[in-house]
Amino acid sequence: MDNTNNYIENLENSPSGGKGAPSRRSFLKSSALAGGGLMLSFSWFAEAKAAEKIANLPETWSELTGYIKITPENVIKIFCPNPEFGQNVMTSLPMMVAEELDCDWGNVVVEMGTHDNVKFGPQFSGGSNSIKMYWKPLRNAGAAARQMLMEATAQTWGVSVGEITTKAGVLSHSSGKSATYGEMAAKAATITVPKNVKLKAIKDFTIISNSQKNTEGLKVVTGKPLFGIDYKVDGMLIAMIQHPPAFGMKLKSFDATAAKKMPGIKDIFSFKLFDEGYELSGFADTRTFNEMVAIVGKTTWEVMNARKKINFQWEATGEVKEISKGWRGEKIETTVPARIESTANQLEMMAEFADGRHPAKPAKQLRKDGDPEAAFKNAAQVIERTYNAPFLAHNCMEPMNFFAHVQDDKALVAGPLQGPAWMEPTLMKLLNLPADKIEIQMTRMGGGFGRRAYGSYAFEAARISQKLKAPIKLIYTREDDMTYGIYRPMYTATYRAALDANKNLIGFHVTGGGIPENPIHANRFPAGCIDNYLADSWEIPTNITVGFFRAPGSNFNAAAEQSFLDEVAAAMGKDPIEMRLDLLKRAKENPVGKNNDYDASRYAGVLELLKEKSGWGKPENAGKKRGVAAYFCHAAYAGHVVDMVMRDGLPYVEHVTSAVDCGVIINPDAARNMVEGAVVDGIGQSFYGALTHKNGAAEQSNFHNYRMIRHNEAPKKIDVHFVQNEIDPTGLGEPPFPPVFGAVANALFKTTGKRYYNQPFTKEFSNS
């Protein structure tokens, strides 16, 4: 099973892949990202007169060697290196190039870059890493290009480069001469790429930190073909798969005699995703079921109907041993248990581990400060609470899909992928082709949330195409997607707090675990704030596949921790925000331990901003039923105040005030959208999200029984505020998500007078 706790820590060490063995010349050119340079490509024959016409240009550009193309008409094309799934990197990343290039954003068009890790870097969208990862490389790229244009202009005019200035894509000299970037582009292409270019001061930004429209917004709202599900070529066939109906089962046999006679059906066959003895290449090779049946035909409808006519026989898998390669190349052996699991039994197992009834498998100590055992022994009051959360399905609005056309000597694959570089090594092994013979095209994703960091659906499509020697598009139905696995793990955590006779917090203990991993981040707040602190964890293996889910681990950890801190604050007789600020003051002035992974000042700054903007504690808000929570993850700090009301006997979040510190904001409109989306998603997941199992089978298969938040259940207003600073930007897609759970739980208590410890909250609410 995958250890998603290593998610963020290992992203920067992930394999970079690459398109074969580049020549020395192409390597030097395309290494510009790492070296701070940027290549320019120019069209000698382009006839476009405005940026909006660039999509209709013929492919007459000279060799693409980097991020920028410029036409003589001064149209500037900037390539986005990272896949887009709604986080707006197709706008924000090019903005960073354009800022340092000092061009007119109105003349910029953006195109998704091809998969090429040598040229474009890691190309991974996930872990809230896109902006953080490319902040300096893309700015260096834009600045280097600007310097090349200035040098070309200085040579042309016979002046010093220091006499050339730029503004909005125009080069100028004090003599009155001026030229557009497009007029100097051809000569600039001959200039050696400079190193150690000077970047703009943040105060001088004109594009960054100013809202820019989504570069693909018009295409999205007018239904242009952008997504993997839109991809099609002449002669393409449609494929679907049938996987076992329950975890712990495998294919025994099938009879497709009747189905093969149905209209439009081309073939029905079983296939194995990985051959026997295959060594998994890290987490991207996660597979739920290794042997499946492929149904291939002309249309989706014909394939769906044929699948219903197949007679399948299934049997138990037995225990399975898998060999995988770790982040550092080490071999890891994993035993996948054979049991058929149900939610009721899973909860029983977790309870046994949580209360120490497994002495042979004690909890693993993650951190210990002081003498927590003595603190609890001598405490005047001990508060103890246990929190539980179920598996969650990603439920991307666009179900899994992928195109593949595998031929004997080459392959073209295309579809929604969060990390194409992580898929390439596996495709090479499965198809027995070198990297330079596999073209990976990245489409826009209709949601990702971590699900599309796993490539099983891409590998399935490639296997099917390889078998048929034809172009195929694999499509999952919603039922396929929801029952196939790769869920957010099932978690539990028990928190204990020790208070002395004066209501001072003298001890803190968290023990957490899950199926199949634990959610505990031992060095985060309130570690470092309390003299006597203990964190430990345990894990239970399973055959249910899990994976990254928006803010892995943190989404549960924040819910439990922030709910518990409110109860501790109440026992101490303190306001919830003031209690947190007091702890952070200790962490700032006299921290406990040296491994605290948060900045206490920035954490406190978010709480102070949240307090101010929400009017927390003000007399005019005394009647509101409010909950607060704040959390640190993915190098950013976020918090929310949730105002809740009761309507028709049910709780609704009416208003949310959000505060975030993620450093410099690239695109304010997009940033607000990200926070608003996280708030709505967090409310929906905390109220309704749950994936349960019975006899190994998922009990939810579509939206009729997997509850999602509805329009009328979203807050009427979400106010988003950012801490203003000049700190290098960090992630934003994930950090606002985890504290929503805790804020909702705390608001529920204020609204109903009852504490809620089990997600989803409305299920427990309806039973109360």
Side-chain angles (χ1 to χ4, degrees), residues 1 7 11 41 72 168 170 204 230 337 393 401 442 519 543 618 686 694-696 704 717 726 728 734 743:
M1 294 297 108
Y7 185 32
L11 280 178
S41 288
V170 176
D204 296 328
D230 299 321
N401 65 88
M442 295 175 288
N543 52 37
K618 294 292 180 69
S686 60
K694 187 174 182 179
N695 297 325
H704 71 290
K717 188 177 183 182
E726 296 189 358
D728 286 355
E734 284 157 299

Side-chain angles (χ1 to χ4, degrees), residues 274 388 632 665 669:
F274 301 135
N388 296 295
F632 161 77
I665 300 297
D669 274 357

Side-chain angles (χ1 to χ4, degrees), residues 635-678:
Y637 305 78
H640 310 284
V641 169
V642 164
D643 293 346
M644 190 174 288
V645 298
M646 295 293 291
R647 293 201 300 264
D648 301 322
L650 293 174
Y652 290 85
V653 175
E654 190 88 345
H655 179 215
V656 178
T657 305
S658 303
V660 181
D661 180 352
C662 58
V664 174
I665 300 297
I666 307 301
N667 189 350
D669 274 357
R672 281 190 290 270
N673 290 342
M674 291 283 278
V675 177
E676 291 166 353

Side-chain angles (χ1 to χ4, degrees), residues 120-374:
F120 290 125
Q123 293 189 282
F124 177 76
S125 283
S128 297
N129 251 325
S130 292
I131 297 297
K132 176 184 176 183
M133 183 189 305
Y134 282 98
W135 170 242
K136 289 184 178 177
L138 288 185
R139 290 175 64 210
N140 283 332
R146 175 176 171 270
Q147 181 68 23
M148 294 163 72
L149 287 161
M150 292 170 63
E151 290 182 13
T153 304
Q155 292 176 17
T156 301
W157 293 345
V159 299
S160 167
V161 70
E163 298 175 36
I164 304 298
T165 60
T166 64
K167 185 177 181 179
V170 176
L171 299 133
S172 301
H173 184 257
S174 58
S175 65
K177 289 183 178 180
S178 66
T180 66
Y181 285 0
E183 291 171 316
M184 292 294 171
K187 188 171 182 65
T190 67
I191 302 293
T192 301
V193 180
K195 297 181 179 180
N196 302 317
V197 289
K198 184 178 180 180
L199 300 178
K200 284 186 179 182
I202 290 175
K203 65 180 178 59
D204 296 328
F205 285 167
T206 60
I207 295 175
I208 291 175
S209 297
N210 291 284
S211 293
Q212 308 296 341
K213 296 292 185 183
N214 187 323
T215 57
E216 291 208 309
L218 182 62
K219 296 176 184 176
V220 172
V221 300
T222 56
K224 300 296 183 184
L226 295 169
F227 299 89
I229 204 75
D230 299 321
Y231 198 97
K232 63 175 64 175
V233 300
D234 291 340
M236 182 181 77
L237 299 173
I238 299 296
M240 288 186 172
I241 58 170
Q242 181 62 52
H243 63 71
F247 299 97
M249 302 293 289
K250 66 178 182 179
L251 179 67
K252 182 178 181 181
S253 63
F254 70 98
D255 182 355
T257 304
K260 287 183 177 180
K261 297 177 182 178
M262 296 181 70
I265 299 305
K266 295 297 184 180
D267 202 355
I268 299 174
F269 57 91
S270 65
F271 70 99
K272 289 185 177 181
L273 187 59
F274 301 135
D275 295 330
E276 296 297 328
Y278 178 89
E279 184 177 290
L280 304 179
S281 300
F283 72 85
D285 279 0
T286 293
R287 41 87 188 276
T288 301
F289 305 104
N290 194 52
E291 186 173 9
M292 292 151 285
V293 174
I295 305 95
V296 185
K298 291 183 177 180
T299 68
T300 305
W301 182 247
E302 289 170 325
V303 171
M304 289 175 68
N305 284 326
R307 183 166 65 166
K308 296 175 184 177
K309 298 295 184 181
I310 303 174
N311 181 21
F312 295 99
Q313 299 294 321
W314 313 99
E315 62 182 353
T317 58
E319 189 175 87
V320 177
K321 291 189 181 298
E322 291 184 339
I323 303 295
S324 61
K325 185 179 295 185
W327 288 98
R328 297 172 181 82
E330 72 278 16
K331 288 189 177 183
I332 301 171
E333 182 174 309
T334 304
T335 300
V336 181
R339 59 176 174 266
I340 303 296
E341 300 184 28
S342 295
T343 297
N345 295 333
Q346 291 165 341
L347 288 170
E348 289 178 7
M349 283 192 294
M350 293 205 309
E352 286 184 17
F353 273 74
D355 65 14
R357 281 183 279 156
H358 266 287
K361 299 177 181 178
K364 178 182 178 181
Q365 183 174 298
L366 304 177
R367 172 170 173 156
K368 183 177 181 180
D369 296 325
D371 191 346
E373 293 85 358

Side-chain angles (χ1 to χ4, degrees), residues 589-602:
E589 297 178 354
N590 185 24
V592 180
K594 298 180 180 179
N595 297 322
N596 309 320
D597 59 5
Y598 60 93
D599 183 316
S601 295
R602 294 181 70 186

Side-chain angles (χ1 to χ4, degrees), residues 1 39 82 152 159 174 199 221 407 497 506 549 570 575 583 600 692 743:
M1 294 297 108
M39 302 299 101
N82 273 23
V159 299
S174 58
L199 300 178
V221 300
Q407 302 177 60
I506 59 171
F549 188 104
D575 173 85
L583 289 173
T692 58

